[in-house]
Amino acid sequence: MKPKAKIRLGDLLVQQGIINEDQLMQTLSAQKESGRKLGFMLIELGFVTENQLLSFLSQHLNVPLVDISQHNVSLSAVNMLPEVQARRHRALVLEDKGDRLLVAMSDPADLAAIDVLSGLLPKPIDVAVVSDTQLIQAYDDFYRRTEEIASFAQELAEEYQDEAEFDFDTGVGDEQDTVVARLLQSIFEDAVQAKASDIHIEPDEASLRIRMRVDGVLQENVIQEKNIASALVLRLKLMSGLDISEKRLPQDGRTSVRIKGHAIDVRVSTMPIQAGESVVMRLLDQSAGLLTLDQTGMPNNLLTRFRSLLHRPHGMILVTGPTGSGKTTTLYGALSELNKAASKIITVEDPVEYRLPRINQVQTNNKIGLNFSNVLRTTLRQDPDIIMVGEMRDQETAEIGLRGALTGHLVLSTLHTNNAISSAVRLLDMGAPGYLVASSLRAVVAQRLVRKICDNCSEAYQLNSEELLWLNSLDNNLQAIKFKRGKGCQTCNKTGYKGRIGVFELLEMTESMMNALKLNDTGTFSQAAQKSPGFVPLAKVALMYAKMGITTVDEVLKLIEMVADERSVNQLDSNESIEQELAQVVEEQIANQPLSNETPEKSGFSFELEPTNQTPGGDGGTI
């Protein structure tokens, strides 16, 4: 239903006593400087809440107030309005009612936008009001580019009826190059909207698979036009400065793309496989900035202890977990906090993930002998206060790092181990002397990322007998707990999960643990670690999240299997204070989500490929 007449929102709010004249004048003044809409400025200045404004608009315009997360959105209805127009006019088609369409708008009083939408859509429209924050998120959830990617792939395939026609010496022609660029643009845009961490391009015997890792799980899109794979690989090699004539050996490079104003750093890895070359791209959003330690999701009690350890003058702190568990994020968060003018920080990394001001970052290069151990020796002669070693990979690196921690430096590093207890044992297994580990190691943080239940399709779930048997080792009072799981909806791409949250355990060294390490007594060390005050194993923390309805029992069971050390998960009783602490952290994270400040002028896509300045065969790329 259209609003009957154009209204002045500010005047109506003053008439209803929601704001006063002074607040209106102040908001209008701020609006002139920013160019944003009055409603957004009122919320930003704190004169009204978003819920107050939405309820007011719903009542005075006689239009329904819609919660997209609770609405059964029709994907076919959404696609009736192109994404560019939807973002420009802050609108989303929610439902096809037969003779009319239900369209959600963040500003249902925008008569000009309603007139444009009426002309674009095939049926008359009924307007509903919706949160701008929800609307922005809905665009990323519903406007996936699967069909667009398939269309560009088909267009490119028509240009190359046979792979033999492709000229690898001269590259692609102007017309074909444009099609390849548009296809890659769609792939990158889809990955950024889905918040994917990696893109996999995998040629098969009869098809091309494009898979994206979202929340740690791959989502697959199969393209039948397999003959376009060589064109995609060539373009990506040119972008990342790789040797386009070399198809027999793996290569690594990097490049940059710009999507929706975000600078995305892309690490490219190619590998020859039976059906051609596989390409995996790791996406790093440089414009998003680094997460602080407060934003990692680490519970406050653990965060306080971890910060105390970071501000000690010397010793080694390890962050451990498998690939993709968030170790790098935690380490960079720690470095950001330690990055002061009074401290010299040197990092040794492979590769350097994020560029940090004031910090001396060294990228290893094994081809020229610039490995971890060699760089670390030089680092100790550079008068550092803090050293970050990307990974403890061998005995030599471990011993140099431990001796550096013993001689007055704070050393941060990572290990690929299942839990905190096994990290100290791993150092002994690598050949580091027990007395050195005992004297230098101060603490170990182990972490995982578990998927969060989608809020839109969350439902109650009853444990079966097998799950109950597995979880009884952690807590034998689960019969009365109401667990949840996601049923699967369009918001979560039918997975039942949306986003991830960190699970942490912190093990601080005690005297009994150090004495056991000096004697290389791993059994006594493990027993002492399990009894360490404040130590709660990963599996128990994950179970707390499941009991709070944040994650599923399936995610807890996966974590238990990954940890694979039952001695470290069945010794402690449930800690109610820590469980309450975790609940508080999650509530604060949800409550403090900022409002989107995306404006119509910023809502379009910009896509720029930034090839490296290196000649083919180089390692690096521009950022």
Side-chain angles (χ1 to χ4, degrees):
M1 181 181 299
K2 283 189 182 182
K4 295 180 179 179
K6 188 173 182 179
I7 62 171
R8 290 169 61 96
L9 177 62
D11 293 339
L12 282 175
L13 290 170
V14 172
Q15 290 175 15
Q16 295 297 317
I18 297 175
I19 61 174
N20 57 44
E21 286 285 354
D22 290 341
Q23 291 173 330
L24 176 59
M25 292 299 104
Q26 186 178 340
T27 306
L28 289 173
S29 176
Q31 184 190 21
K32 288 180 182 179
E33 295 180 5
S34 67
R36 294 175 179 173
K37 291 189 174 182
L38 183 68
F40 184 90
M41 295 308 303
L42 286 167
I43 295 170
E44 189 175 69
L45 292 172
F47 296 149
V48 297
T49 66
E50 189 173 31
N51 287 335
Q52 279 180 312
L53 185 61
L54 293 176
S55 299
F56 174 81
L57 289 172
S58 174
Q59 179 182 353
H60 280 268
L61 298 177
N62 194 25
V63 296
L65 173 59
V66 174
D67 183 351
I68 294 179
S69 65
Q70 302 300 321
H71 198 89
N72 187 19
V73 181
S74 167
L75 192 57
S76 59
V78 169
N79 290 326
M80 289 183 182
L81 184 65
E83 182 181 3
V84 172
Q85 298 294 339
R87 288 181 182 269
R88 180 176 298 162
H89 301 294
R90 281 296 192 269
L92 184 74
V93 183
L94 298 179
E95 186 180 343
D96 185 349
K97 295 182 174 181
D99 58 339
R100 304 183 71 84
L101 299 174
L102 179 62
V103 179
M105 300 181 66
S106 61
D107 184 6
D110 190 342
L111 298 180
I114 293 175
D115 287 339
V116 173
L117 293 171
S118 298
L120 291 172
L121 293 168
K123 299 178 182 180
I125 66 174
D126 291 327
V127 176
V129 62
V130 68
S131 160
D132 192 65
T133 307
Q134 279 196 348
L135 203 55
I136 299 302
Q137 182 61 49
Y139 293 145
D140 290 344
D141 291 337
F142 295 118
Y143 282 108
R144 296 296 298 273
R145 284 169 164 66
T146 304
E147 293 182 6
E148 187 177 287
I149 291 171
S151 175
F152 284 139
Q154 185 176 1
E155 184 179 348
L156 183 60
E158 290 172 358
E159 301 289 340
Y160 301 108
Q161 297 298 329
D162 191 331
E163 285 187 52
E165 297 177 6
F166 194 79
D167 190 344
F168 285 92
D169 294 324
T170 61
V172 292
D174 291 340
E175 184 177 347
Q176 294 92 338
D177 189 41
T178 301
V179 179
V180 174
R182 287 159 63 197
L183 175 56
L184 283 174
Q185 173 182 350
S186 294
I187 292 172
F188 280 119
E189 286 178 355
D190 192 43
V192 170
Q193 285 188 200
K195 296 180 175 61
S197 60
D198 301 85
I199 302 173
H200 296 239
I201 297 177
E202 303 168 336
D204 208 339
E205 292 295 336
S207 62
L208 175 65
R209 301 179 188 277
I210 298 178
R211 303 199 284 176
M212 300 182 185
R213 191 173 296 280
V214 180
D215 293 338
V217 178
L218 287 172
Q219 298 178 1
E220 185 175 78
N221 183 17
V222 179
I223 296 176
Q224 299 304 322
E225 292 80 10
K226 184 253 180 183
N227 60 332
I228 70 171
S230 54
L232 279 178
V233 173
L234 175 65
R235 178 63 185 240
L236 289 169
K237 283 184 172 182
L238 289 170
M239 287 168 55
S240 50
L242 302 181
D243 186 350
I244 62 174
S245 65
E246 180 57 76
K247 297 187 289 181
R248 301 165 301 169
L249 296 173
Q251 298 187 68
D252 295 309
R254 66 194 308 162
T255 186
S256 297
V257 297
R258 184 170 291 276
I259 304 291
K260 289 179 59 182
H262 291 262
I264 309 296
D265 187 16
V266 184
R267 289 197 342 234
V268 181
S269 173
T270 69
M271 182 177 68
I273 59 176
Q274 192 66 29
E277 286 184 276
S278 167
V279 180
V280 176
M281 294 175 282
R282 170 63 59 88
L283 308 181
L284 298 170
D285 189 350
Q286 298 287 344
S287 60
L290 293 173
L291 292 180
T292 64
L293 285 178
D294 293 303
Q295 295 171 321
T296 60
M298 190 179 295
N300 291 339
N301 63 325
L302 264 68
L303 187 57
T304 300
R305 292 161 55 198
F306 186 52
R307 280 197 166 112
S308 175
L309 291 162
L310 287 175
H311 290 92
R312 292 183 182 178
H314 57 83
M316 176 179 284
I317 300 174
L318 293 177
V319 180
T320 184
T323 301
S325 60
K327 300 186 300 296
T328 301
T329 300
T330 301
L331 279 180
Y332 273 106
L335 288 177
S336 297
E337 189 158 310
L338 295 169
N339 189 8
K340 309 294 182 185
S343 299
K344 176 158 186 173
I345 303 176
I346 301 178
T347 72
V348 188
E349 306 173 65
D350 181 24
V352 174
E353 304 252 9
Y354 294 94
R355 272 64 175 175
L356 299 174
R358 199 188 288 118
I359 294 180
N360 298 282
Q361 296 174 271
V362 182
Q363 166 117 20
T364 62
N365 187 343
N366 290 326
K367 294 178 182 178
I368 60 173
L370 194 68
N371 53 36
F372 277 100
S373 56
N374 289 340
V375 176
L376 200 50
R377 286 194 191 91
T378 304
T379 296
L380 293 173
R381 294 193 287 270
Q382 288 280 311
D383 188 31
D385 297 292
I386 301 164
I387 302 170
M388 194 272 275
V389 185
E391 183 184 350
M392 292 293 175
R393 293 188 174 179
D394 52 50
Q395 178 183 353
E396 188 175 14
T397 303
E399 287 196 22
I400 296 172
L402 289 166
R403 293 185 188 280
L406 193 62
T407 55
H409 305 89
L410 178 64
V411 179
L412 308 177
S413 190
T414 70
L415 269 179
H416 286 91
T417 55
N418 287 328
N419 52 42
I421 294 177
S422 60
S423 298
V425 177
R426 177 66 58 84
L427 291 175
L428 297 179
D429 292 341
M430 290 170 65
Y435 72 88
L436 194 56
V437 177
S439 303
S440 304
L441 186 62
R442 293 290 176 265
V444 182
V445 175
Q447 64 182 80
R448 294 289 190 283
L449 293 174
V450 297
R451 292 182 291 172
K452 296 165 60 178
I453 299 172
C454 174
D455 293 332
N456 190 47
C457 59
S458 176
E459 64 178 11
Y461 176 69
Q462 186 65 40
L463 294 181
N464 60 42
S465 57
E466 185 177 352
E467 291 168 337
L468 195 58
L469 183 63
W470 269 95
L471 295 177
N472 272 339
S473 62
L474 301 174
D475 189 339
N476 54 15
N477 295 312
L478 299 176
Q479 290 83 353
I481 301 296
K482 295 180 180 179
F483 290 94
K484 292 183 178 180
R485 68 176 176 184
K487 184 170 57 176
C489 64
Q490 291 169 349
T491 300
C492 59
N493 201 25
K494 305 296 183 182
T495 63
Y497 297 96
K498 189 73 173 176
R500 292 189 289 178
I501 190 169
V503 177
F504 300 86
E505 68 179 15
L506 174 60
L507 178 65
E508 295 183 70
M509 302 299 291
T510 63
E511 185 176 354
S512 57
M513 293 159 61
M514 289 189 286
N515 290 334
L517 288 175
K518 290 176 184 177
L519 300 173
N520 285 357
D521 187 347
T522 58
T524 302
F525 171 79
S526 296
Q527 293 174 7
Q530 290 159 13
K531 297 176 182 178
S532 174
F535 174 71
V536 180
L538 285 169
K540 277 202 172 253
V541 178
L543 181 58
M544 293 176 193
Y545 280 118
K547 290 162 68 175
M548 292 156 53
I550 298 166
T551 190
T552 63
V553 172
D554 283 343
E555 289 292 290
V556 179
L557 293 176
K558 287 178 186 176
L559 189 143
I560 292 175
E561 292 176 1
M562 292 175 67
V563 172
D565 185 357
E566 294 184 3
R567 293 174 303 174
S568 66
V569 300
N570 58 12
Q571 297 293 321
L572 292 176
D573 295 329
S574 178
N575 190 319
E576 293 183 3
S577 63
I578 294 180
E579 187 167 347
Q580 293 169 359
E581 186 73 42
L582 291 171
Q584 180 183 352
V585 170
V586 175
E587 289 172 1
E588 289 175 355
Q589 287 177 337
I590 294 173
N592 292 332
Q593 286 181 348
L595 290 172
S596 170
N597 60 357
E598 185 180 12
T599 63
E601 292 74 23
K602 296 181 180 178
S603 62
F605 289 108
S606 66
F607 179 79
E608 303 168 15
L609 301 182
E610 302 176 9
T612 67
N613 295 325
Q614 296 189 2
T615 56
D619 288 327
T622 58
I623 302 303

